[in-house]
Amino acid sequence: MSLTTPALAGKLAGLQSSAIRDLLELTARDDIISLAGGLPDAALMPNERIAAAAETALRDSAVLQYTESSGWPALREVIAARESAKIGRAVSSAEVFITHGSQQALSLLAEVLLDPGALVIVEDPAYVGALQVFRAAGARIVAVPLDSEGMRLDILEDLLAAGERPAVVHTVSTFHNPGGVTLTPERRRRLAELAEAHGFWIIEDDPYGELWFDRPAPAPVASYSPQVIRLSSVSKILAPALRVGWLIAPENVCRAVELLKQGADLCGSSLTQQITTDLLCDTPWLTTHIDTIRTTYGTRARTLVTALRTTFGDRLHCTDPTGGMFLWAEFTDTTDTTTLLPTALDTGVAYVPGAAFAVTNTTPTTLRLCFTTSDEATLVEAVARLSKALRVSAGV
Amino acid sequence: MSLTTPALAGKLAGLQSSAIRDLLELTARDDIISLAGGLPDAALMPNERIAAAAETALRDSAVLQYTESSGWPALREVIAARESAKIGRAVSSAEVFITHGSQQALSLLAEVLLDPGALVIVEDPAYVGALQVFRAAGARIVAVPLDSEGMRLDILEDLLAAGERPAVVHTVSTFHNPGGVTLTPERRRRLAELAEAHGFWIIEDDPYGELWFDRPAPAPVASYSPQVIRLSSVSKILAPALRVGWLIAPENVCRAVELLKQGADLCGSSLTQQITTDLLCDTPWLTTHIDTIRTTYGTRARTLVTALRTTFGDRLHCTDPTGGMFLWAEFTDTTDTTTLLPTALDTGVAYVPGAAFAVTNTTPTTLRLCFTTSDEATLVEAVARLSKALRVSAGV
């Protein structure tokens, strides 16, 4: 019936789906507690506040028309003001470009900044959505491992000393997905210095920065250099369905992104962008709203860490989440988390094996756990099921 | 301050903005009647109905979460039902892929179907958004002129006979933008036969098909062959800000598009997709709503045609719009519409010179007029100003 041209066959063979997405389809079963997802908790999303903002926005017929490719002007202004406060310099709205989630910022930037074969440095483990984009752009990808202080800059410096010349260094600087760690202020400053010394762009991908638990995240890498393009979105603090992300970049970069956005999808939604503007401008409400998310996720993170340490002791090391949505863990014995997964699903718990995020350094004993969408009792039960899976797998 | 890498400089130099977009910025002045735009009339958009749908949708927290890359399942089902009725065969929801407007359908399809250097046949004059996408994909573009019955298939057949092997033939089959014409049923059937005989895809880009004035548009090209990928959207019948478009294609094409959509922007907005579902399912309301648009645009089109013919007589030939948003006109003397434009702007009227849509066949005497956003008196005044511009330009 259907025509399979050589081009289409090639694309189908060459494209890789996200392993995590495929796994998520398996874990949608009601009897499985899934710590495998990467979603914010829908129960914490502000449905009523968004409905009120929609009702107000829709009194103006302009809100249903096409809008500028660069975004709804009022939204660009409020983002400029918020980013100015974060970065510590005046960001103009001409440096703000609104995208369809920060994933679109990443994919348009890859087209703008990379020629085929250009070198991109990523973190290991890496954000899978970034890998997908950089691979599609035909980049050569080299990974630098994380430690508890974020990207290992000593290894990056070795690469630079050996003559590697990256076009882009991509970092999820704060509350890393999947690694759970945050780049220290010292390393932020040093990374910015390296960018200026060696002429590369830093893409600072920061969707989680506002989700800190006890104290605010360090100042962005972008506060140390104009060679940093910052990405963020409202998906984790308001709602993914608004599909509002952005990039903060010099005007010439924004201009190139604009030309690509016209071809990609013309423009974003003035309706969801006006709703977002309304919510971001309502500071008292927003502060309380984000505080609730922080408190809830913080409590869940601590519950999960405590349950893991109580249950597994020295057999499992895990990060101490200070924000974000993820915990990274590593079995200290020979437990292979990919091999264990079918047994874990049988006992009713899902996680993502660390191998799914590996670029070069595949450690088979690691795993990512998401603590955002389960309440405390469920998280404790999930750890009990994981423990059972280990016993079943050992034949005990 | 900012880093200009060779890659960025190359992209900026290589990317072309849409000439129409740049012109629209000039014509936003209050004292200019713009027939240059390509926007539906915001005053006809259903603000209140959308507010009601938003309020209902937001009672469910799932509507604010990430959704599937292929689209909100309920929306895919209602589109499948509507397209089944149009195409005259059962379209399954697996053949429906929701995109961020039909422009995104076009850009993702170009990536899926085209290798660099592949031949794409377009119409002349052409939809500029398609040209942008096919050029970005590195395609070789050959244009086939339109006549009053749509694409000149005799010329397409000559190209095929000469050994040209297109990967894709792109057609705005119904109420062409900018050409105003509709491909006849006989040519639809023949174009589908050619696709099957020569193994190319047809992309039938159909955003205007529901905007007929006196009688429904002919059955889609897709009703004649499964080698037709159909594109449409709700931008012209509901509102552009919903950012809901779609493609109807065989499942293997949808699967390849899905993998690209994940990297491009993860997914669409479940909120605007659920609002769209609600409106499309409300058949009595929708029928009345679209009838109002048809009647309004039809009256405006007739008013514009009458004013042009009364004012210019044989000096100007124009299409007789039977639907859509545009009228295509051609001066029968030597009037150059690009040269005339600054004078027209001075007298307070804007249009788009035909040259902006030309691929190879640049006729300097043509122009596109959009009749959707001006009322009848304004359209009459616009023609009077155009007449004045001609007199000023002739030094009369």
Side-chain angles (χ1 to χ4, degrees), chain B residues 268-284:
Chain B
S269 166
S270 36
L271 175 59
T272 66
Q273 292 187 16
Q274 172 53 31
I275 291 170
T276 304
T277 307
D278 185 336
L279 271 60
L280 291 181
C281 287
D282 187 354
T283 311

Side-chain angles (χ1 to χ4, degrees), chain B residues 21 26 68 117 157 165 190 192 210 252 324 366-367 388:
Chain B
R21 267 176 189 273
L26 290 175
E68 295 168 32
E157 293 192 55
R165 288 294 168 265
R190 182 67 187 137
E210 302 222 34
N252 60 343
T366 55
L367 66 161
K388 183 179 169 199

Side-chain angles (χ1 to χ4, degrees), chain A residues 3 11 47 111 201 241 269, chain B residues 3 11 47 58 111 201 241 269:
Chain A
L3 185 69
K11 300 284 171 180
N47 289 58
E111 274 193 81
W201 291 100
S269 166
Chain B
L3 184 71
K11 300 282 170 180
N47 289 58
L58 284 161
E111 275 193 78
W201 291 101
S269 166

Side-chain angles (χ1 to χ4, degrees), chain A residues 23-44:
Chain A
L23 180 68
L24 281 176
E25 286 180 25
L26 290 175
T27 61
R29 271 166 42 198
D30 278 348
D31 57 334
I32 291 180
I33 301 173
S34 180
L35 309 185
L39 305 179
D41 189 350
L44 296 173

Side-chain angles (χ1 to χ4, degrees), chain A residues 61-80:
Chain A
S61 66
V63 89
L64 287 177
Q65 190 56 278
Y66 289 97
T67 185
E68 295 169 32
S69 299
S70 53
W72 187 247
L75 179 59
R76 292 171 74 201
E77 289 197 12
V78 60
I79 303 273

Side-chain angles (χ1 to χ4, degrees), chain A residues 5-29:
Chain A
T5 61
L8 173 59
K11 300 284 171 180
L12 276 168
L15 287 165
Q16 270 187 308
S17 179
S18 155
I20 302 169
R21 267 176 190 272
D22 293 343
L23 180 68
L24 281 176
E25 286 180 25
L26 290 175
T27 61
R29 271 166 42 198

